[in-house]
Amino acid sequence: MRIKGKKILTACKDGTGFASRRVLVTGGAGFIGSHLVDRLIEHGADVVVIDDLSTSDGSNLSPKARFLKRNLAATNLEDVVADVQYVFHVGAVPRTQYCVENPIECHVVNALGTLRLLDACRQYAKSLKRFVYSSSCAVYGHQVAMPIKEDVRRNHGTPYALQKLIGEQYVCMYATLYGVPGISLIYSNVFGTRRQTEKGAYPNVLAAFSKQKKELGRLLITGDGEQTRDFIHVYDVVDANLKAALSDVGDGSVLNISSGRQTSINAIAGFFDCPVDYIEPRPGEARHLVLDPTKAGDILGWSCKISLEEGIKLYFSS
């Protein structure tokens, strides 16, 4: 993989397991999903994308993928998954505030949509090699002990967090009860390329700061800016998905995908060389967040390869 002439090393170099395989990616027109689709196509996969384009205009969608504009929760999916060997369920409404304001609508997409997709896979469980589910660090809610491990008691406080947790539990149940080989990946704060927009799915502080610098000439930071987050590059997230799909794990296990490193919002702002205004903090916002990726390293042999500094350079050059 290259960006403007620069080669990017990735953790999953052996993609032979996907060559000539039919692969389904939900949310494949979005930020994470489109990068995953591109990598699968590089590995010779026959990729089918389902996306309702609710948070994307489709400009990131690969022309080499077969695209189906569908709503997961409102569509019969048996015909789509019939010949599929791998399912990557990335599609969701991941905007926390939108889910707070529209809990029923988002439950239909995030929870019921996941259930409908899993149930469609149920009758093809013997031929399906892996169902990889994209979850979110939101499922942990407010935690005191850091870094956060997968077995911590969940303290979810928003509809989005609960909906993603329900998805994890459905993946585990369908693996145990119906033999659908599934695994869930919990992402920390994903960042990466200019495909990520402030208004799109999986919004990020980099996209928000870029928009503010362009439109306002200054950055707006909530609180004192010393709140920390665990940033993981989208290429590393893609690698984790590929490794999970090619692994022997299909029992519904849940794995953190993160850098394991805390970075303050003030430190991120420092890369933008722009004046900063501090505004009122968001009610209920977690002060610190960092996940423990040890389990993913032990089980998948995966680790974060792209540092925050390198990732930000890639972001500005993309």
Side-chain angles (χ1 to χ4, degrees):
M1 177 178 296
R2 292 179 180 273
I3 293 183
K4 292 189 176 182
K6 185 170 184 178
K7 186 176 182 180
I8 306 302
L9 298 178
T10 56
C12 189
K13 299 173 183 176
D14 181 9
T16 56
F18 300 106
S20 301
R21 298 286 190 176
R22 176 67 61 86
V23 179
L24 174 64
V25 180
T26 70
F31 170 54
I32 296 175
S34 65
H35 283 291
L36 177 58
V37 168
D38 288 349
R39 188 80 64 80
L40 287 164
I41 289 173
E42 287 179 11
H43 290 320
D46 177 13
V47 180
V48 179
V49 169
I50 291 180
D51 200 304
D52 64 4
L53 300 183
S54 61
T55 58
S56 170
D57 61 5
S59 59
N60 296 330
L61 184 64
S62 171
K64 296 181 181 180
R66 183 160 66 95
F67 173 61
L68 302 174
K69 185 178 180 181
R70 295 195 183 185
N71 181 315
L72 289 177
T75 307
N76 187 303
L77 300 169
E78 280 76 7
D79 62 317
V80 180
V81 302
D83 299 318
V84 166
Q85 284 80 50
Y86 297 97
V87 173
F88 295 91
H89 183 29
V90 187
V93 179
R95 293 170 292 176
T96 298
Q97 188 57 40
Y98 186 86
C99 291
V100 168
E101 297 167 357
N102 304 275
I104 296 177
E105 174 192 338
C106 294
H107 176 88
V108 170
V109 176
N110 293 340
L112 181 58
T114 299
L115 176 60
R116 289 288 301 271
L117 182 59
L118 280 164
D119 203 59
C121 292
R122 175 162 59 112
Q123 61 180 303
Y124 304 106
K126 291 184 179 179
S127 59
L128 183 68
K129 293 184 177 296
R130 197 70 67 242
F131 185 105
V132 183
Y133 174 67
S134 291
S135 188
S136 164
C137 58
V139 299
Y140 291 124
H142 292 276
Q143 300 290 336
V144 175
M146 300 286 166
I148 302 171
K149 297 180 181 293
E150 291 87 348
D151 59 358
V152 72
R153 181 180 176 85
R154 307 296 179 86
N155 186 26
H156 45 78
T158 66
Y160 174 64
L162 180 57
Q163 291 152 16
K164 297 306 287 186
L165 176 60
I166 289 171
E168 287 180 25
Q169 293 175 334
Y170 270 134
V171 170
C172 185
M173 187 192 75
Y174 267 73
T176 303
L177 190 60
Y178 301 117
V180 177
I183 183 171
S184 294
L185 306 180
I186 298 179
Y187 309 146
S188 58
N189 297 79
V190 186
F191 77 105
T193 68
R194 297 284 182 164
R195 293 185 188 182
Q196 187 177 38
T197 65
E198 191 269 338
K199 291 184 178 180
Y202 296 97
N204 184 270
V205 65
L206 290 178
F209 280 174
S210 293
K211 184 173 185 288
Q212 291 166 7
K213 182 176 181 178
K214 179 179 179 181
E215 296 182 358
L216 304 176
R218 57 200 314 105
L219 309 182
L220 303 179
I221 296 180
T222 59
D224 62 6
E226 287 305 301
Q227 61 268 40
T228 61
R229 294 295 180 265
D230 180 346
F231 293 95
I232 181 75
H233 198 276
V234 65
Y235 294 158
D236 282 322
V237 170
V238 168
D239 289 338
N241 272 266
L242 301 188
K243 283 184 173 291
L246 295 177
S247 74
D248 295 328
V249 182
D251 60 357
S253 291
V254 178
L255 305 177
N256 286 336
I257 303 302
S258 72
S259 70
R261 171 185 173 187
Q262 295 186 69
T263 303
S264 73
I265 302 304
N266 282 331
I268 298 295
F271 288 96
F272 283 80
D273 189 25
C274 187
V276 172
D277 286 339
Y278 293 92
I279 60 178
E280 288 295 316
R282 296 188 186 95
E285 183 179 59
R287 181 67 172 171
H288 301 292
L289 186 143
V290 61
L291 306 186
D292 184 346
T294 302
K295 190 175 176 182
D298 292 342
I299 293 177
L300 301 181
W302 174 89
S303 63
C304 174
K305 299 296 183 184
I306 300 176
S307 69
L308 176 65
E309 294 76 14
E310 177 68 12
I312 289 179
K313 290 178 182 178
L314 293 174
Y315 175 81
F316 285 129
S317 66
S318 65

